[in-house]
Amino acid sequence: MLEDAERWLNTRSWSVDDRPLKKIVAAKRSSNATVSVVLPALNEEETVGEIVAVIRRDLMLKVPLVDEIVVIDSGSTDRTSEVAAAAGARVVHRDDILPRLPAVPGKGEVLWRSLLVTSGDIVCFIDADLKEFSSDFVSGIVGPLLTDPGVDLVKAMYDRPLGQAAGQGGRVTELMARPLLNMHWPQLAGFVQPLGGEYAARRSLLEQLPFPVGYGVELGMLIDALHLVGLDALAQVDVGVRKHRHQDGQALGRMSAAIYRTAQLRLARGHLIRPSLTQFERGEEGFEPRTYSVDTEERPPMADVAEYARRKAA
């Protein structure tokens, strides 16, 4: 491992137990910082309500750590919005945010738009498909931002079981993202879960970052933050075990292609020869090709959006 990455791993990797909740809340009170939690959601009625309820109970009612919980619904056809609202979240529909700019499908699109409808100085992103959720996921990654002014972005790290097999989740991380980071951005090699959907950052950083609209958002954000604020402004916190719904191999292939594209743009900002991916499914007459476009769009830094600038000035 690169010497800088090894040093970082020893000085910027913590456990959720390193910062007691009382200490985090006291730091929040003294700094007057506000905290927004954002859950991007698409057809997550089975899990989103429990996540919202746990955060509200533990970090709003028991202690005043979180100031708002916002669920951004990106077109659910189930009861995601109703369940989230009943649990205590403010629900905003993706297409109602910045309506002059037609929304495109993708997680990164939702995260980018969330900056326009949240107000926290610190924004914490949590995936909406987590099972057996603990509020440590929020307090753990928000803690360093409230207690250490030199930290700008914190990612959660955790075990990711696949069924009953420990440590076998995160297949795209191991097969695509980790090799890319080790080869091209070795300073980031110490991140245990570089693609994890649970991370928190200062708004002042997020509003300066471009957002890949799809699956590449986590990798792109990590690389861009490294170049913008430096390695020591990044950190990670061990929050235990992450259980969630796993995707099939073909979905993971499409995710990998988008992540590779994100890396490619950051390596060269050059021409994409073929921004598509062909996969195969067995049909009645043998294997049939299915071709999918790979996300090639990115949203600009939110600080460059006129509506956001007017909102900040208001």
Side-chain angles (χ1 to χ4, degrees):
M1 181 180 286
L2 191 72
E3 185 176 340
D4 281 353
E6 188 170 1
R7 175 192 56 77
W8 176 87
L9 191 58
N10 292 324
T11 60
R12 283 292 187 263
S13 296
W14 298 297
S15 165
V16 67
D17 297 327
D18 291 336
R19 290 174 176 80
L21 193 53
K22 287 185 178 179
K23 179 180 179 180
I24 298 172
V25 173
K28 179 180 187 291
R29 187 180 300 114
S30 64
S31 67
N32 291 318
T34 52
V35 177
S36 299
V37 176
V38 172
L39 281 76
L42 176 62
N43 294 329
E44 303 294 357
E45 67 176 1
E46 294 184 4
T47 50
V48 68
E50 176 68 12
I51 297 171
V52 170
V54 169
I55 297 172
R56 187 170 183 273
R57 180 194 68 206
D58 292 354
L59 304 180
M60 296 182 83
L61 300 179
K62 289 185 178 179
V63 299
L65 181 63
V66 171
D67 296 282
E68 63 175 351
I69 306 172
V70 181
V71 170
I72 311 292
D73 190 328
S74 57
S76 297
T77 55
D78 65 3
R79 298 181 62 253
T80 290
S81 290
E82 293 87 343
V83 170
R90 176 163 60 93
V91 178
V92 183
H93 293 272
R94 177 200 60 195
D95 295 348
D96 294 335
I97 307 170
L98 201 62
R100 71 165 174 85
L101 191 64
V104 297
K107 179 183 178 183
E109 177 83 352
V110 176
L111 301 185
W112 182 72
R113 289 176 186 259
S114 75
L115 297 181
L116 271 163
V117 293
T118 54
S119 58
D121 303 304
I122 293 169
V123 182
C124 174
F125 298 118
I126 300 290
D127 281 350
D129 66 342
L130 302 188
K131 303 174 181 178
E132 301 177 27
F133 179 77
S134 166
S135 59
D136 286 349
F137 273 71
V138 174
S139 59
I141 57 179
V142 166
L145 294 164
L146 290 169
T147 59
D148 189 336
V151 174
D152 287 327
L153 184 150
V154 183
K155 296 210 64 138
M157 57 176 167
Y158 31 68
D159 294 318
R160 292 185 68 180
L162 180 61
Q164 300 301 315
Q168 295 302 306
R171 290 161 287 173
V172 176
T173 292
E174 299 304 329
L175 297 175
M176 176 60 72
R178 200 176 309 285
L180 281 172
L181 291 176
N182 275 264
M183 288 186 289
H184 298 294
W185 296 278
Q187 286 181 295
L188 298 174
F191 275 94
V192 175
Q193 298 291 352
L195 301 184
E198 291 70 45
Y199 48 99
R202 300 189 192 281
R203 177 176 294 270
S204 57
L205 170 62
L206 293 173
E207 65 187 16
Q208 297 180 70
L209 298 176
F211 277 62
V213 298
Y215 287 126
V217 63
E218 275 85 21
L219 185 80
M221 187 178 296
L222 203 57
I223 294 168
D224 293 340
L226 171 68
H227 290 296
L228 193 62
V229 296
L231 182 61
D232 286 340
L234 314 179
Q236 62 184 352
V237 173
D238 187 347
V239 296
V241 179
R242 182 188 197 265
K243 297 182 180 180
H244 66 117
R245 182 187 67 252
H246 291 281
Q247 301 195 55
D248 63 33
Q250 292 209 333
L252 296 179
R254 297 191 290 274
M255 184 184 300
S256 297
I259 289 165
Y260 178 77
R261 189 277 314 173
T262 299
Q264 181 192 40
L265 288 180
R266 279 152 181 77
L267 284 169
R269 296 290 172 181
H271 175 65
L272 283 174
I273 297 173
R274 185 174 181 267
S276 60
L277 174 73
T278 299
Q279 297 177 317
F280 294 88
E281 297 179 7
R282 185 182 289 280
E284 294 181 0
E285 299 180 1
F287 286 103
E288 300 174 356
R290 300 283 188 273
T291 299
Y292 302 88
S293 63
V294 175
D295 297 322
T296 57
E297 188 170 357
E298 296 194 3
R299 295 305 191 187
M302 189 58 78
D304 294 342
V305 176
E307 288 89 339
Y308 187 78
R310 288 196 295 270
R311 178 178 175 270
K312 285 191 72 176

